[in-house]
Amino acid sequence: MVITDITYQQAMDIYRYTSGAFPSNVTGGCNNTYGYARFRTNLPLNGVTHVLEIYAMFYHNEILEVVRLPQYYSDGVHLHKNTRAAFYGCYKLKEILNVMLAPQCISSSKTWADTFYKCVLLETVRIKNLYGNISFAQSPLISSDSISYLVENRTTAHTDVITVTVHADTFAKLTGDTTNPAVAALTPAELAQWQQILTAATAKNISFTTP
């Protein structure tokens, strides 16, 4: 996604908040690094860490639309186990540009807790090596590509069931419930793609549920 209507003042806010060196590291954490800041996207960040803690990193940035996380490795952002509330309240967030490599630990009060809470417009998020349960319960617009990527790239460190909580619209797409308006609006090809995801998920011991 490319934002083409940024105003001068918005550009100045982006520069003010996100230019220069990244202000934290994994030892000190990223607690609320950009919490309550208001910028629509961010500049690539310098001075990045090998493993990134994103706890409350963009907490309640209510106008954030597209974000690029600090990234050290070429294969994506290697996440620290504390991902709690990273994008909590980012109502307008649509896309996270990086691939995120999931923490290799079970989900807890820190790992994937409220990470995407109230991300109601989120469409694109790529998570690799998912190890524990995760929720996109409040993201009805999440793309089939995002869910497919998560399924195809789940961790191989264990074969235990992983539960992905999704919005009712997303669940209806996966199960082919055409009584749901979001499903009825799909083309046959799009519906087939969603149902193929469910088949692949079953083979990889990933289950979907709603809140």
Side-chain angles (χ1 to χ4, degrees):
M1 174 186 171
V2 178
I3 303 174
T4 59
D5 60 345
I6 291 175
T7 66
Y8 177 80
Q9 183 57 55
Q10 289 169 348
M12 291 298 293
D13 289 340
I14 292 167
Y15 182 82
R16 177 164 62 95
Y17 281 115
T18 70
S19 64
F22 183 59
S24 189
N25 58 49
V26 71
T27 303
C30 300
N31 303 4
N32 216 16
T33 304
Y34 301 111
Y36 292 102
R38 294 178 63 82
F39 50 88
R40 293 176 65 189
T41 189
N42 63 301
L43 298 171
L45 298 164
N46 300 318
V48 300
T49 58
H50 294 193
V51 178
L52 182 67
E53 179 181 349
I54 59 172
Y55 169 41
M57 190 171 181
F58 296 96
Y59 189 86
H60 269 296
N61 183 336
E62 297 178 357
I63 67 170
L64 181 66
E65 297 175 46
V66 180
V67 65
R68 182 186 299 277
L69 295 171
Q71 179 173 330
Y72 181 85
Y73 295 102
S74 61
D75 60 344
V77 179
H78 292 227
L79 295 180
H80 180 271
K81 66 180 180 181
N82 195 351
T83 63
R84 182 182 178 91
F87 305 101
Y88 188 113
C90 293
Y91 306 111
K92 293 190 176 182
L93 180 63
K94 296 181 180 179
E95 181 175 8
I96 300 167
L97 294 172
N98 318 70
V99 170
M100 294 186 289
L101 279 74
Q104 295 302 283
C105 59
I106 61 172
S107 298
S108 65
S109 61
K110 290 185 177 181
T111 305
W112 301 126
D114 292 333
T115 304
F116 304 104
Y117 186 72
K118 294 187 179 179
C119 292
V120 296
L121 297 182
L122 183 63
E123 298 176 13
T124 303
V125 53
R126 291 172 295 163
I127 297 173
K128 191 173 185 179
N129 295 341
L130 183 67
Y131 192 99
N133 303 336
I134 196 169
S135 177
F136 301 102
Q138 298 187 341
S139 303
L141 303 181
I142 195 164
S143 69
S144 57
D145 286 345
S146 294
I147 299 297
S148 179
Y149 189 92
L150 181 148
V151 169
E152 293 301 325
N153 292 282
R154 74 152 279 172
T155 186
T156 57
H158 69 79
T159 57
D160 297 342
V161 65
I162 294 175
T163 300
V164 180
T165 303
V166 293
H167 187 275
D169 288 352
T170 304
F171 190 80
K173 291 172 185 177
L174 289 162
T175 58
D177 179 6
T178 54
T179 64
N180 181 291
V183 180
L186 298 175
T187 67
E190 289 170 336
L191 180 56
Q193 184 176 9
W194 277 103
Q195 293 178 298
Q196 287 167 7
I197 294 171
L198 184 59
T199 301
T202 301
K204 295 211 172 207
N205 210 16
I206 295 174
S207 67
F208 294 98
T209 189
T210 53

